[in-house]
């Protein structure tokens, strides 16, 4: 999600420096190019070698060091930065920047840069609450600098209170968010994700291979772009994105009810879940014992579950509905039939037999088919990238309708 982005990470001297190494690793995983500038204080906690290894880039520490090739380092760093992220940001560094001091490489780069500046402060609670620090922070906020909220908890000094640096995952989310366009503000998006499970008896059930990754990734993308997101999820092992409303369900009938509660006032419904089409006609209230009907065979009669998309597709008014089709053969033909039968605006067809596509993977291979007959084939890509394309396509539909 951060491909092609240059992030200058300023690391200042506080015990939370150890978390900054994890932060670099997480930013690099998002394909960002990370260049680390450490203040002298930071190098007392962790060596530059740690950050060099994690970022795969030279770590900058000195303002007046001799260089192997000539460029004015603080100017070239300042110019190439898309974002300057300072984490952990001490009261000292924040104070210097707020008061126009440029006495080390980091504060000089900040002074020389037009990039967005983001701080993840980390300090003792009394320092955090000190009016001098609060004034410095507010001054920078009025200049457009951004501050990631500190956590409340037990600090390294033993005190309990505000001033704990935000977790690396939160910081990465914040950074990703600051690059994303906010084109879904005031839109309510309902997303279904994951499998459903249909009980056979209290210990057994019917389910499928859906991990929820596709739906959770869509929820994250919609949230990042400013939408109000309701994520209706079958059982998964995933952590829901921060700031989305999660509704946990187990069965297709429960998913049907949950969609019903939000359908009338939603703008967009994305059906990425893999609901079970059938369920046992009578789930046994007690564990079915071996040989209870016939020693070698056990027959379980199934009955059809409601087709959620088909049902709400009949009632939709202004809502945009996006479906998925998980197919193993005749992909386009079957997806097209589902598109029409369920009244989707477009359908995302994935051939789940292809390596890297469909269930469980972090990647997918998709073809979009819309209700005007347009077909767009996409190559293998991360589910996060595919989510961006799906939201882009929805945005185009909204845009066309608004004209
Ligand atoms: O969760 P992952 O591991 O990331 O995997 C992603 C995925 C393969 C589950 C996803 O990409 C996908 O294809 N989801 C749809 C799976 C599915 O149920 O496909 P289908 O062809 O059976 O259903 C067609 C559409 O009708 C789907 O939008 C489905 O959500 C919906 N449906 C199906 C059955 C039902 N009873 N009610 C429905 O609304």
């Amino acid at each position: 999600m951060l491909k092609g982005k240059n992030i200058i990470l300023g690391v200042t001297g506080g015990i939370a420096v150890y978390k900054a190494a994890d932060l670099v690793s997480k930013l690099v995983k998002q394909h960002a190019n990370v260049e680390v500038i450490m203040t002298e204080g930071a190098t007392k906690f962790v060596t530059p070698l740690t950050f060099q290894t994690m970022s795969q880039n030279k770590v900058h520490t000195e303002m007046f060091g001799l260089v192997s090739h000539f460029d004015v380092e603080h100017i070239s760093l300042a110019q190439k930065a898309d974002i300057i992220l300072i984490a952990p940001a001490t009261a000292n560094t924040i104070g210097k920047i707020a008061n126009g001091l440029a006495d080390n490489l980091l504060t000089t780069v900040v002074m020389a840069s037009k990039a967005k500046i983001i701080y993840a402060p980390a300090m003792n609670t009394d320092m955090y609450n000190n009016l001098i620090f609060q004034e410095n922070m507010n001054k920078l906020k009025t200049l457009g600098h951004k501050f990631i909220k500190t956590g409340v908890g037990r600090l390294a000094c033993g005190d309990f209170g505000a001033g704990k640096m935000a977790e690396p995952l939160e910081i990465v989310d914040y950074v990703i968010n600051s690059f994303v366009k906010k084109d879904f503000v005031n839109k309510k998006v309902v997303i279904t994700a994951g499998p459903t499970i249909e009980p056979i008896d209290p210990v057994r059930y019917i389910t499928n291979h859906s991990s929820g990754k596709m739906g959770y990734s869509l929820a994250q993308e919609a949230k990042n772009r400013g939408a109000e997101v309701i994520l209706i999820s079958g059982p998964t092992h995933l952590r829901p994105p921060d700031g989305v409303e999660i509704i946990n369900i187990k069965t297709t009938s429960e998913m049907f009810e949950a969609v019903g509660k939000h359908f009338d006032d939603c703008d967009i419904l994305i059906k990425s879940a893999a609901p079970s089409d059938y369920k046992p006609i009578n789930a046994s209230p007690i564990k079915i014992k071996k040989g209870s009907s016939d020693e070698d065979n056990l027959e379980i009669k199934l009955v059809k579950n409601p087709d959620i998309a088909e049902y709400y597709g009949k009632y939709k008014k202004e809502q945009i509905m996006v479906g998925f089709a998980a197919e193993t053969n005749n992909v386009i033909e079957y997806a097209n039939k589902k598109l029409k039968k369920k009244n989707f605006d477009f359908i995302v067809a994935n051939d789940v037999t292809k390596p890297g596509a469909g269930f469980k993977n972090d990647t997918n291979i998709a073809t979009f088919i819309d209700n005007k007959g347009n077909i767009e084939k996409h190559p293998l890509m991360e589910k996060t990238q595919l989510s961006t394309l799906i939201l882009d396509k929805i945005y185009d539909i909204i845009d066309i309708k608004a004209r």
Side-chain angles (χ1 to χ4, degrees):
M1 290 197 96
L2 295 172
K3 205 172 184 165
K5 302 294 180 207
N6 289 308
I7 296 174
I8 304 291
L9 176 66
V11 180
T12 69
I15 184 63
V17 168
Y18 79 93
K19 285 192 189 172
D22 182 30
L23 174 60
V24 175
S25 145
K26 289 189 161 53
L27 289 167
V28 170
K29 264 197 196 132
Q30 295 290 333
H31 309 291
N33 176 48
V34 183
E35 297 218 29
V36 177
I37 303 176
M38 295 180 81
T39 62
E40 201 191 330
T43 62
K44 305 275 191 260
F45 288 90
V46 175
T47 67
L49 186 61
T50 305
F51 288 102
Q52 185 169 301
T53 313
M54 304 302 258
S55 68
Q56 300 285 295
N57 275 323
K58 177 191 160 198
V59 171
H60 311 268
T61 51
E62 287 182 54
M63 179 78 180
F64 302 108
L66 294 173
V67 290
S68 53
H69 64 281
F70 189 79
D71 65 2
V72 182
E73 196 172 28
H74 65 273
I75 301 296
S76 69
L77 283 170
Q79 284 174 349
K80 84 198 263 199
D82 290 303
I83 273 185
I84 299 177
L85 169 66
I86 307 184
T90 57
N92 180 42
T93 294
I94 292 168
K96 282 183 192 177
I97 297 170
N99 290 285
L101 294 186
D103 65 345
N104 61 23
L105 184 59
L106 176 60
T107 49
T108 310
V109 168
V110 170
M111 192 66 100
S113 181
K114 291 196 180 81
K116 186 180 244 183
I117 321 280
I118 302 173
Y119 303 82
M123 65 198 72
N124 159 276
T125 305
D126 291 332
M127 287 171 86
Y128 186 80
N129 291 330
N130 189 307
L131 286 182
I132 300 173
F133 169 74
Q134 289 291 327
E135 245 178 50
N136 286 335
M137 181 164 69
N138 288 336
K139 180 173 173 188
L140 290 172
K141 280 183 182 171
T142 59
L143 296 172
H145 293 214
K146 302 289 176 198
F147 284 78
I148 304 174
K149 258 180 102 173
T150 61
V152 174
R154 186 155 305 283
L155 305 168
C157 56
D159 285 0
F160 188 89
K164 208 169 141 63
M165 188 174 89
E167 290 305 317
L169 212 55
E170 257 176 81
I171 300 175
V172 173
D173 281 352
Y174 193 99
V175 170
I176 291 173
N177 239 317
S178 50
F179 282 114
V180 173
K181 44 186 189 270
K182 302 283 175 202
D183 48 0
F184 278 78
V185 173
N186 294 330
K187 297 281 177 244
K188 178 169 171 178
V189 183
V190 177
I191 298 170
T192 67
T196 60
I197 60 175
E198 305 295 343
I200 296 169
D201 68 14
V203 297
R204 304 177 181 96
Y205 53 77
I206 297 173
T207 190
N208 58 62
H209 295 294
S210 174
S211 64
K213 283 182 182 171
M214 191 67 244
Y216 278 56
S217 163
L218 284 159
Q220 179 73 70
E221 174 74 10
K223 176 72 206 156
N224 288 349
R225 289 167 75 156
E228 175 196 351
V229 181
I230 313 288
L231 177 60
I232 301 171
S233 174
T236 75
H237 296 289
L238 304 176
R239 170 177 164 257
D242 286 340
V244 313
E245 184 181 331
I246 176 90
I247 300 177
N248 292 305
I249 54 86
K250 288 199 175 85
T251 63
T252 298
S253 296
E254 287 168 13
M255 184 173 274
F256 178 84
E257 295 291 323
V259 171
K261 282 197 182 117
H262 290 279
F263 187 72
D264 281 348
D265 67 342
C266 82
D267 300 289
I268 297 144
L269 171 63
I270 310 180
K271 292 273 325 72
S272 52
S276 188
D277 286 322
Y278 291 89
K279 65 178 177 188
I281 201 159
N282 282 318
S284 166
I286 52 166
K287 185 178 172 189
I288 300 171
K289 299 310 264 180
K290 242 185 278 174
S292 48
S293 54
D294 165 341
E295 193 55 43
D296 294 326
N297 301 302
L298 174 67
E299 274 184 24
I300 300 170
K301 249 206 170 130
L302 303 178
V303 61
K304 229 175 164 191
N305 261 326
D307 190 309
I308 306 165
E310 189 179 347
Y311 180 87
Y312 292 104
K314 286 200 177 103
Y315 292 102
K316 82 170 183 189
K317 294 185 180 107
E318 291 303 309
Q319 291 92 338
I320 292 170
M321 274 180 63
V322 180
F324 274 70
E327 306 295 348
T328 57
N329 56 316
N330 301 336
V331 177
I332 304 295
E333 183 195 331
Y334 291 153
N336 233 323
K337 278 191 182 150
K338 287 176 186 171
L339 169 83
K340 290 186 182 119
K341 191 170 173 213
K342 305 192 187 203
N343 199 13
F344 289 132
D345 289 77
F346 72 97
I347 194 158
V348 179
N350 40 194
D351 180 342
V352 293
T353 63
K354 282 196 181 153
F359 298 115
K360 290 195 172 117
N361 301 300
D362 290 333
T363 54
N364 206 351
I365 307 168
T367 302
F368 298 173
I369 310 171
D370 68 24
N371 57 8
K372 311 264 176 315
N374 300 309
I375 297 184
E376 289 170 41
K377 281 192 178 211
H378 296 285
L380 181 123
M381 64 179 76
E382 299 283 323
K383 282 180 176 164
T384 51
Q385 282 174 283
L386 182 59
S387 301
T388 306
L389 293 183
I390 292 170
L391 270 281
D392 284 350
K393 180 139 181 101
I394 295 171
Y395 184 79
D396 287 347
I397 296 173
I398 297 172
D399 201 34
I400 291 166
K401 278 189 175 177
R403 270 184 231 154

